[in-house]
Amino acid sequence: MDSKSSPEWDPRSEAVLQDQIAAYDEMRRRCPVAHSDYLNWSLFRHDDVTRALHAPLTFSSAVSSHLAVPSGMDPPQHTEYRRIIEPYFSVERMQAFEPACRAIAIELMDSLPAAGVVEFMSAIAEDYALRVQSAFLGWPSELRDPLRRWTRKNHAATLARDRAAMEAVAFEFDGYIRELLAVRRSAGASAPADLTTSLLRERVGGRPLNEEEIISILRNWTVGELSTIAASVGIVAHYLAAWPALQQRLRENVTLVPAAVDEILRLHAPLISNRRVLTRPVEIGGQYLAAGERITLMWASANRDEAVFDEPDSFRLDRDPSKNLLYGAGIHVCPGAPLARLELRIIVEELLARVKKIAPAPDAAPVNAVYPASGFVELPLRIEAA
């Protein structure tokens, strides 16, 4: 089939934005490789997305004109930087960070009222993501509010594809990081023993990481962390509120929490998509695509593909975890997955331990987030403390 004859779709249409997940399901069944002006070529099927993930030299991650370490790199360059980054998410680091992470979760849970309706995104999800990320990187509490505002501006600029606004937002973030790095450099041996300081000592290709590389790494971690963790916390809380029997099951057996979280986030993806660019012509899903074509990998569809997940709308704990693309696959599988899983496990454990009932608010409906975000902008829930 000639790519010019491909059916078009509009990712920003009202019908799509009203229920993104349902719209992507429909596209997967009707037109699994589809073109739009906004997202270029979108891949909706699990097999097609997986094929792209395991062919990084054809489906290149070098999609941005800006430095993106290492997510926007291909081998062999990607391999060098990935070697530096992976140890920051080791088992030992996660074990060492767990007490601080749990303390933040407990403090937020203790701030909830004994009973009543709370707007869960602002009361818990967004603050949790901000506070945990700051603690993990060693950033001061004064940076939380600027980062919260920055995250919203970044989302708005990305949604609008406003390049000038995106440039301004990136410049603003870079300014925060440059200041943090300057403080650590001037402190010398007295600099805080945190992850941000550690990056100043890393080397690649026999030389120290330069400032632009460090900023890119920290931007990559922060952009992914703040929006995706907040979205994930909201999605899981919303699902638990709708299924009280699952709440009780997890309270009675907390060892099921990690698998339950992964399955809930398979059903409702916290991250909608990632981008790639073709380095050579390919045929995929009946479409012949030329080198240079831009590709969007639709995680939110691939993880609900009925060809891979039997009864994809059903919550099941017996699925093959290797098929779940929540954290990607291949060489670009999310290096921060251990941290994300730790954070989500802890917040769910503390929520279930300290709130005996979570239910939808009787007189207020959630407000869905829209692309490039997922989850909820507002999530009113009724709670009763344990």
Side-chain angles (χ1 to χ4, degrees):
M1 183 187 295
D2 186 343
S3 65
K4 293 181 180 179
S5 67
S6 169
E8 301 285 323
W9 74 299
D10 182 2
R12 294 181 291 179
S13 71
E14 184 177 350
V16 170
L17 297 182
Q18 280 181 348
D19 190 341
Q20 293 182 139
I21 303 301
Y24 303 151
D25 285 347
E26 192 273 334
M27 287 301 300
R28 183 179 64 251
R29 295 161 187 148
R30 177 174 66 83
C31 184
V33 180
H35 190 270
S36 69
D37 291 336
Y38 187 59
L39 295 181
N40 299 291
W41 289 97
S42 295
L43 307 185
F44 292 91
R45 292 189 301 204
H46 190 281
D47 283 355
D48 293 337
V49 170
T50 301
R51 172 183 167 186
L53 296 174
H54 290 287
L57 297 183
T58 297
F59 294 83
S60 169
S61 293
V63 296
S64 175
S65 58
H66 299 285
L67 181 67
V69 182
S71 57
M73 296 175 168
D74 299 321
Q77 187 184 32
H78 168 268
T79 309
E80 282 195 76
Y81 289 94
R82 184 76 183 218
R83 174 188 56 78
I84 293 170
I85 287 167
E86 286 188 349
Y88 285 85
F89 302 97
S90 67
V91 171
E92 293 76 19
R93 281 189 184 268
M94 296 304 100
Q95 290 173 341
F97 184 60
E98 180 165 348
C101 187
R102 192 173 296 278
I104 293 168
I106 291 170
E107 185 176 341
L108 285 171
M109 290 299 129
D110 287 347
S111 72
L112 292 173
V117 173
V118 299
E119 199 293 284
F120 198 82
M121 295 307 298
S122 57
I124 298 296
E126 293 174 1
D127 268 0
Y128 183 65
L130 278 164
R131 293 180 62 176
V132 170
Q133 176 71 355
S134 296
F136 183 68
L137 295 176
W139 292 357
S141 59
E142 307 86 70
L143 198 53
R144 290 180 203 154
D145 284 341
L147 281 174
R148 181 184 285 105
R149 293 191 295 270
W150 176 83
T151 301
R152 290 171 180 162
K153 286 187 283 188
N154 184 57
H155 172 257
T158 305
L159 176 63
R161 289 287 174 94
D162 183 335
R163 292 194 176 277
M166 291 166 73
E167 292 278 355
V169 169
F171 183 79
E172 180 182 342
F173 180 87
D174 292 359
Y176 298 144
I177 305 308
R178 290 185 200 283
E179 185 174 342
L180 291 169
L181 296 178
V183 167
R184 283 157 175 75
R185 286 195 178 101
S186 64
S190 301
D194 57 31
L195 270 66
T196 301
T197 300
S198 294
L199 285 171
L200 288 167
R201 303 188 183 113
E202 296 288 0
R203 302 178 68 83
V204 61
R207 61 164 178 83
L209 287 176
N210 63 42
E211 185 153 298
E212 299 309 314
E213 290 165 332
I214 296 172
I215 289 171
S216 177
I217 291 168
L218 291 171
R219 186 193 306 117
N220 190 33
W221 288 354
T222 305
V223 172
E225 177 77 5
L226 295 184
S227 58
T228 309
I229 291 298
S232 297
V233 172
I235 290 166
V236 173
H238 176 262
Y239 195 88
L240 293 176
W243 297 94
L246 178 59
Q247 286 182 45
Q248 193 55 34
R249 183 183 178 190
L250 296 180
R251 285 189 184 95
E252 293 170 356
N253 188 354
V254 293
T255 64
L256 297 177
V257 166
V261 169
D262 279 9
E263 174 66 354
I264 292 168
L265 298 179
R266 180 197 65 78
L267 288 161
H268 186 163
L271 179 66
I272 297 293
S273 65
N274 276 135
R275 298 181 297 158
R276 297 292 190 273
V277 62
L278 289 175
T279 61
R280 65 194 73 175
V282 301
E283 185 279 325
I284 190 163
Q287 297 289 348
Y288 293 90
L289 307 183
E293 292 281 12
R294 299 272 171 162
I295 307 294
T296 306
L297 308 180
M298 302 298 292
W299 309 115
S301 170
N303 250 0
R304 295 172 51 82
D305 191 337
E306 43 279 290
V308 176
F309 302 99
D310 185 42
E311 299 179 341
D313 286 318
S314 298
F315 174 92
R316 287 175 31 185
L317 293 178
D318 62 348
R319 299 189 189 277
D320 180 353
S322 70
K323 301 293 185 183
N324 191 334
L325 299 177
L326 174 60
Y327 296 104
I331 65 167
H332 285 285
V333 65
C334 178
L339 176 61
R341 286 194 161 107
L342 171 71
E343 293 169 354
L344 295 173
R345 172 177 62 81
I346 286 174
I347 193 67
V348 174
E349 287 175 354
E350 296 304 330
L351 176 65
L352 294 172
R354 294 166 187 275
V355 177
K356 72 176 180 182
K357 185 175 182 180
I358 315 158
D363 301 314
V367 176
N368 291 337
V370 296
Y371 189 93
S374 184
F376 305 97
V377 176
E378 296 179 8
L379 180 59
L381 296 177
R382 184 165 53 85
I383 64 167
E384 291 180 25

